[in-house]
PDB file of all heavy atoms in Angstrom:
ATOM      1  N   ILE K   1      85.198 117.324 120.416  1.00 78.00           N
ATOM      2  CA  ILE K   1      85.033 116.265 121.427  1.00 78.00           C
ATOM      3  C   ILE K   1      83.851 115.370 121.065  1.00 78.00           C
ATOM      4  O   ILE K   1      83.914 114.139 121.202  1.00 78.00           O
ATOM      5  CB  ILE K   1      84.855 116.874 122.833  1.00 78.00           C
ATOM      6  CG1 ILE K   1      86.152 117.565 123.277  1.00 78.00           C
ATOM      7  CG2 ILE K   1      84.454 115.803 123.845  1.00 78.00           C
ATOM      8  CD1 ILE K   1      86.039 118.316 124.589  1.00 78.00           C
ATOM      9  N   ALA K   2      82.764 115.963 120.590  1.00 76.00           N
ATOM     10  CA  ALA K   2      81.602 115.175 120.173  1.00 76.00           C
ATOM     11  C   ALA K   2      81.953 114.274 118.992  1.00 76.00           C
ATOM     12  O   ALA K   2      81.510 113.117 118.919  1.00 76.00           O
ATOM     13  CB  ALA K   2      80.447 116.105 119.809  1.00 76.00           C
ATOM     14  N   LEU K   3      82.780 114.780 118.063  1.00 81.00           N
ATOM     15  CA  LEU K   3      83.214 113.957 116.933  1.00 81.00           C
ATOM     16  C   LEU K   3      84.046 112.765 117.405  1.00 81.00           C
ATOM     17  O   LEU K   3      83.869 111.634 116.935  1.00 81.00           O
ATOM     18  CB  LEU K   3      84.015 114.815 115.947  1.00 81.00           C
ATOM     19  CG  LEU K   3      84.591 114.078 114.720  1.00 81.00           C
ATOM     20  CD1 LEU K   3      83.457 113.473 113.886  1.00 81.00           C
ATOM     21  CD2 LEU K   3      85.435 115.026 113.882  1.00 81.00           C
ATOM     22  N   LEU K   4      84.950 113.017 118.350  1.00 83.00           N
ATOM     23  CA  LEU K   4      85.757 111.923 118.909  1.00 83.00           C
ATOM     24  C   LEU K   4      84.872 110.901 119.618  1.00 83.00           C
ATOM     25  O   LEU K   4      85.133 109.690 119.553  1.00 83.00           O
ATOM     26  CB  LEU K   4      86.794 112.490 119.885  1.00 83.00           C
ATOM     27  CG  LEU K   4      87.934 113.313 119.276  1.00 83.00           C
ATOM     28  CD1 LEU K   4      88.816 113.897 120.380  1.00 83.00           C
ATOM     29  CD2 LEU K   4      88.768 112.440 118.338  1.00 83.00           C
ATOM     30  N   ALA K   5      83.834 111.366 120.288  1.00 81.00           N
ATOM     31  CA  ALA K   5      82.914 110.443 120.963  1.00 81.00           C
ATOM     32  C   ALA K   5      82.203 109.550 119.954  1.00 81.00           C
ATOM     33  O   ALA K   5      82.052 108.341 120.169  1.00 81.00           O
ATOM     34  CB  ALA K   5      81.902 111.231 121.791  1.00 81.00           C
ATOM     35  N   ILE K   6      81.782 110.137 118.825  1.00 84.00           N
ATOM     36  CA  ILE K   6      81.118 109.347 117.778  1.00 84.00           C
ATOM     37  C   ILE K   6      82.074 108.299 117.214  1.00 84.00           C
ATOM     38  O   ILE K   6      81.707 107.141 116.983  1.00 84.00           O
ATOM     39  CB  ILE K   6      80.589 110.271 116.670  1.00 84.00           C
ATOM     40  CG1 ILE K   6      79.468 111.165 117.219  1.00 84.00           C
ATOM     41  CG2 ILE K   6      80.074 109.455 115.487  1.00 84.00           C
ATOM     42  CD1 ILE K   6      79.011 112.230 116.251  1.00 84.00           C
ATOM     43  N   LEU K   7      83.347 108.696 116.999  1.00 86.00           N
ATOM     44  CA  LEU K   7      84.347 107.740 116.509  1.00 86.00           C
ATOM     45  C   LEU K   7      84.576 106.621 117.518  1.00 86.00           C
ATOM     46  O   LEU K   7      84.760 105.457 117.140  1.00 86.00           O
ATOM     47  CB  LEU K   7      85.659 108.472 116.211  1.00 86.00           C
ATOM     48  CG  LEU K   7      85.634 109.450 115.023  1.00 86.00           C
ATOM     49  CD1 LEU K   7      86.969 110.173 114.910  1.00 86.00           C
ATOM     50  CD2 LEU K   7      85.318 108.698 113.732  1.00 86.00           C
ATOM     51  N   ALA K   8      84.579 106.961 118.794  1.00 84.00           N
ATOM     52  CA  ALA K   8      84.764 105.941 119.836  1.00 84.00           C
ATOM     53  C   ALA K   8      83.600 104.955 119.844  1.00 84.00           C
ATOM     54  O   ALA K   8      83.803 103.742 119.965  1.00 84.00           O
ATOM     55  CB  ALA K   8      84.900 106.613 121.202  1.00 84.00           C
ATOM     56  N   PHE K   9      82.377 105.478 119.683  1.00 81.00           N
ATOM     57  CA  PHE K   9      81.215 104.593 119.607  1.00 81.00           C
ATOM     58  C   PHE K   9      81.314 103.669 118.394  1.00 81.00           C
ATOM     59  O   PHE K   9      81.020 102.471 118.474  1.00 81.00           O
ATOM     60  CB  PHE K   9      79.921 105.408 119.531  1.00 81.00           C
ATOM     61  CG  PHE K   9      79.548 106.088 120.812  1.00 81.00           C
ATOM     62  CD1 PHE K   9      79.036 107.382 120.802  1.00 81.00           C
ATOM     63  CD2 PHE K   9      79.719 105.455 122.029  1.00 81.00           C
ATOM     64  CE1 PHE K   9      78.694 108.015 121.990  1.00 81.00           C
ATOM     65  CE2 PHE K   9      79.383 106.082 123.218  1.00 81.00           C
ATOM     66  CZ  PHE K   9      78.873 107.370 123.198  1.00 81.00           C
ATOM     67  N   GLY K  10      81.730 104.215 117.248  1.00 84.00           N
ATOM     68  CA  GLY K  10      81.863 103.395 116.046  1.00 84.00           C
ATOM     69  C   GLY K  10      82.955 102.351 116.176  1.00 84.00           C
ATOM     70  O   GLY K  10      82.797 101.215 115.708  1.00 84.00           O
ATOM     71  N   ALA K  11      84.084 102.707 116.820  1.00 84.00           N
ATOM     72  CA  ALA K  11      85.191 101.755 116.997  1.00 84.00           C
ATOM     73  C   ALA K  11      84.775 100.565 117.837  1.00 84.00           C
ATOM     74  O   ALA K  11      85.291  99.453 117.661  1.00 84.00           O
ATOM     75  CB  ALA K  11      86.385 102.455 117.630  1.00 84.00           C
ATOM     76  N   CYS K  12      83.822 100.769 118.731  1.00 82.00           N
ATOM     77  CA  CYS K  12      83.362  99.679 119.591  1.00 82.00           C
ATOM     78  C   CYS K  12      82.791  98.535 118.775  1.00 82.00           C
ATOM     79  O   CYS K  12      82.991  97.364 119.107  1.00 82.00           O
ATOM     80  CB  CYS K  12      82.325 100.202 120.578  1.00 82.00           C
ATOM     81  SG  CYS K  12      81.667  98.958 121.681  1.00 82.00           S
ATOM     82  N   PHE K  13      82.089  98.855 117.678  1.00 83.00           N
ATOM     83  CA  PHE K  13      81.468  97.815 116.855  1.00 83.00           C
ATOM     84  C   PHE K  13      82.494  97.047 116.027  1.00 83.00           C
ATOM     85  O   PHE K  13      82.177  96.001 115.467  1.00 83.00           O
ATOM     86  CB  PHE K  13      80.414  98.445 115.944  1.00 83.00           C
ATOM     87  CG  PHE K  13      79.233  99.000 116.674  1.00 83.00           C
ATOM     88  CD1 PHE K  13      79.157 100.349 116.963  1.00 83.00           C
ATOM     89  CD2 PHE K  13      78.212  98.170 117.102  1.00 83.00           C
ATOM     90  CE1 PHE K  13      78.077 100.870 117.656  1.00 83.00           C
ATOM     91  CE2 PHE K  13      77.131  98.670 117.790  1.00 83.00           C
ATOM     92  CZ  PHE K  13      77.054 100.024 118.074  1.00 83.00           C
ATOM     93  N   VAL K  14      83.716  97.558 115.943  1.00 83.00           N
ATOM     94  CA  VAL K  14      84.796  96.849 115.265  1.00 83.00           C
ATOM     95  C   VAL K  14      85.638  96.067 116.258  1.00 83.00           C
ATOM     96  O   VAL K  14      86.007  94.913 116.026  1.00 83.00           O
ATOM     97  CB  VAL K  14      85.681  97.848 114.470  1.00 83.00           C
ATOM     98  CG1 VAL K  14      86.857  97.123 113.822  1.00 83.00           C
ATOM     99  CG2 VAL K  14      84.861  98.577 113.431  1.00 83.00           C
ATOM    100  N   VAL K  15      85.944  96.681 117.390  1.00 84.00           N
ATOM    101  CA  VAL K  15      86.838  96.073 118.379  1.00 84.00           C
ATOM    102  C   VAL K  15      86.158  94.907 119.096  1.00 84.00           C
ATOM    103  O   VAL K  15      86.769  93.849 119.305  1.00 84.00           O
ATOM    104  CB  VAL K  15      87.302  97.133 119.393  1.00 84.00           C
ATOM    105  CG1 VAL K  15      88.105  96.483 120.523  1.00 84.00           C
ATOM    106  CG2 VAL K  15      88.137  98.195 118.700  1.00 84.00           C
ATOM    107  N   ALA K  16      84.883  95.079 119.459  1.00 83.00           N
ATOM    108  CA  ALA K  16      84.200  94.042 120.240  1.00 83.00           C
ATOM    109  C   ALA K  16      84.177  92.683 119.536  1.00 83.00           C
ATOM    110  O   ALA K  16      84.536  91.670 120.144  1.00 83.00           O
ATOM    111  CB  ALA K  16      82.783  94.500 120.593  1.00 83.00           C
ATOM    112  N   PRO K  17      83.779  92.586 118.247  1.00 84.00           N
ATOM    113  CA  PRO K  17      83.816  91.272 117.587  1.00 84.00           C
ATOM    114  C   PRO K  17      85.217  90.671 117.522  1.00 84.00           C
ATOM    115  O   PRO K  17      85.380  89.447 117.642  1.00 84.00           O
ATOM    116  CB  PRO K  17      83.274  91.566 116.188  1.00 84.00           C
ATOM    117  CG  PRO K  17      82.451  92.787 116.334  1.00 84.00           C
ATOM    118  CD  PRO K  17      83.156  93.597 117.365  1.00 84.00           C
ATOM    119  N   LEU K  18      86.242  91.522 117.336  1.00 85.00           N
ATOM    120  CA  LEU K  18      87.612  91.008 117.290  1.00 85.00           C
ATOM    121  C   LEU K  18      88.023  90.427 118.636  1.00 85.00           C
ATOM    122  O   LEU K  18      88.633  89.351 118.709  1.00 85.00           O
ATOM    123  CB  LEU K  18      88.573  92.129 116.888  1.00 85.00           C
ATOM    124  CG  LEU K  18      88.463  92.628 115.439  1.00 85.00           C
ATOM    125  CD1 LEU K  18      89.407  93.799 115.213  1.00 85.00           C
ATOM    126  CD2 LEU K  18      88.777  91.505 114.461  1.00 85.00           C
ATOM    127  N   VAL K  19      87.686  91.122 119.718  1.00 86.00           N
ATOM    128  CA  VAL K  19      88.028  90.633 121.051  1.00 86.00           C
ATOM    129  C   VAL K  19      87.316  89.322 121.336  1.00 86.00           C
ATOM    130  O   VAL K  19      87.921  88.349 121.806  1.00 86.00           O
ATOM    131  CB  VAL K  19      87.663  91.692 122.124  1.00 86.00           C
ATOM    132  CG1 VAL K  19      87.790  91.117 123.522  1.00 86.00           C
ATOM    133  CG2 VAL K  19      88.551  92.919 121.974  1.00 86.00           C
ATOM    134  N   PHE K  20      86.022  89.269 121.052  1.00 86.00           N
ATOM    135  CA  PHE K  20      85.263  88.045 121.305  1.00 86.00           C
ATOM    136  C   PHE K  20      85.748  86.890 120.431  1.00 86.00           C
ATOM    137  O   PHE K  20      85.721  85.731 120.856  1.00 86.00           O
ATOM    138  CB  PHE K  20      83.771  88.290 121.063  1.00 86.00           C
ATOM    139  CG  PHE K  20      83.160  89.274 122.013  1.00 86.00           C
ATOM    140  CD1 PHE K  20      82.115  90.088 121.630  1.00 86.00           C
ATOM    141  CD2 PHE K  20      83.640  89.387 123.306  1.00 86.00           C
ATOM    142  CE1 PHE K  20      81.556  91.001 122.507  1.00 86.00           C
ATOM    143  CE2 PHE K  20      83.090  90.299 124.191  1.00 86.00           C
ATOM    144  CZ  PHE K  20      82.049  91.106 123.790  1.00 86.00           C
ATOM    145  N   SER K  21      86.212  87.187 119.216  1.00 88.00           N
ATOM    146  CA  SER K  21      86.668  86.133 118.309  1.00 88.00           C
ATOM    147  C   SER K  21      87.981  85.524 118.786  1.00 88.00           C
ATOM    148  O   SER K  21      88.094  84.307 118.949  1.00 88.00           O
ATOM    149  CB  SER K  21      86.839  86.688 116.892  1.00 88.00           C
ATOM    150  OG  SER K  21      85.613  87.130 116.367  1.00 88.00           O
ATOM    151  N   PHE K  22      88.971  86.363 119.006  1.00 89.00           N
ATOM    152  CA  PHE K  22      90.301  85.865 119.353  1.00 89.00           C
ATOM    153  C   PHE K  22      90.354  85.244 120.748  1.00 89.00           C
ATOM    154  O   PHE K  22      91.253  84.450 121.035  1.00 89.00           O
ATOM    155  CB  PHE K  22      91.329  86.987 119.244  1.00 89.00           C
ATOM    156  CG  PHE K  22      91.723  87.307 117.830  1.00 89.00           C
ATOM    157  CD1 PHE K  22      91.256  88.466 117.221  1.00 89.00           C
ATOM    158  CD2 PHE K  22      92.519  86.447 117.106  1.00 89.00           C
ATOM    159  CE1 PHE K  22      91.602  88.761 115.913  1.00 89.00           C
ATOM    160  CE2 PHE K  22      92.872  86.734 115.798  1.00 89.00           C
ATOM    161  CZ  PHE K  22      92.411  87.895 115.195  1.00 89.00           C
ATOM    162  N   GLU K  23      89.405  85.585 121.616  1.00 91.00           N
ATOM    163  CA  GLU K  23      89.438  85.058 122.986  1.00 91.00           C
ATOM    164  C   GLU K  23      88.258  84.141 123.278  1.00 91.00           C
ATOM    165  O   GLU K  23      87.930  83.895 124.430  1.00 91.00           O
ATOM    166  CB  GLU K  23      89.472  86.222 123.981  1.00 91.00           C
ATOM    167  CG  GLU K  23      90.715  87.094 123.821  1.00 91.00           C
ATOM    168  CD  GLU K  23      90.852  88.146 124.899  1.00 91.00           C
ATOM    169  OE1 GLU K  23      89.922  88.272 125.730  1.00 91.00           O
ATOM    170  OE2 GLU K  23      91.882  88.844 124.932  1.00 91.00           O
ATOM    171  N   CYS K  24      87.639  83.589 122.229  1.00 91.00           N
ATOM    172  CA  CYS K  24      86.459  82.748 122.451  1.00 91.00           C
ATOM    173  C   CYS K  24      86.810  81.401 123.069  1.00 91.00           C
ATOM    174  O   CYS K  24      85.923  80.701 123.556  1.00 91.00           O
ATOM    175  CB  CYS K  24      85.697  82.547 121.143  1.00 91.00           C
ATOM    176  SG  CYS K  24      86.539  81.507 119.939  1.00 91.00           S
ATOM    177  N   LEU K  25      88.082  80.998 123.051  1.00 93.00           N
ATOM    178  CA  LEU K  25      88.497  79.722 123.643  1.00 93.00           C
ATOM    179  C   LEU K  25      89.030  79.890 125.063  1.00 93.00           C
ATOM    180  O   LEU K  25      89.512  78.928 125.660  1.00 93.00           O
ATOM    181  CB  LEU K  25      89.574  79.055 122.776  1.00 93.00           C
ATOM    182  CG  LEU K  25      89.251  78.858 121.296  1.00 93.00           C
ATOM    183  CD1 LEU K  25      90.373  78.079 120.619  1.00 93.00           C
ATOM    184  CD2 LEU K  25      87.928  78.143 121.116  1.00 93.00           C
ATOM    185  N   THR K  26      88.944  81.083 125.606  1.00 94.00           N
ATOM    186  CA  THR K  26      89.541  81.344 126.914  1.00 94.00           C
ATOM    187  C   THR K  26      88.858  80.562 128.028  1.00 94.00           C
ATOM    188  O   THR K  26      89.527  79.983 128.894  1.00 94.00           O
ATOM    189  CB  THR K  26      89.496  82.854 127.221  1.00 94.00           C
ATOM    190  OG1 THR K  26      90.154  83.567 126.179  1.00 94.00           O
ATOM    191  CG2 THR K  26      90.194  83.156 128.537  1.00 94.00           C
ATOM    192  N   ILE K  27      87.527  80.526 128.035  1.00 94.00           N
ATOM    193  CA  ILE K  27      86.823  79.791 129.093  1.00 94.00           C
ATOM    194  C   ILE K  27      87.115  78.291 129.017  1.00 94.00           C
ATOM    195  O   ILE K  27      87.407  77.674 130.053  1.00 94.00           O
ATOM    196  CB  ILE K  27      85.313  80.085 129.039  1.00 94.00           C
ATOM    197  CG1 ILE K  27      85.043  81.523 129.481  1.00 94.00           C
ATOM    198  CG2 ILE K  27      84.527  79.111 129.925  1.00 94.00           C
ATOM    199  CD1 ILE K  27      83.586  81.911 129.483  1.00 94.00           C
TER     200      ILE K  27
END
């Protein structure tokens, strides 16, 4: 479970820039 938590934390640094990039024209 701790390993999965570390992977989830690491995935955040990949997913967040992608979300902000593709939806930067939303506002």
Side-chain angles (χ1 to χ4, degrees):
I1 293 174
L3 178 61
L4 290 176
I6 294 172
L7 292 176
F9 288 140
C12 179
F13 293 98
V14 177
V15 174
L18 291 176
V19 170
F20 295 149
S21 297
F22 283 106
E23 298 187 355
C24 70
L25 307 185
T26 304
I27 290 181

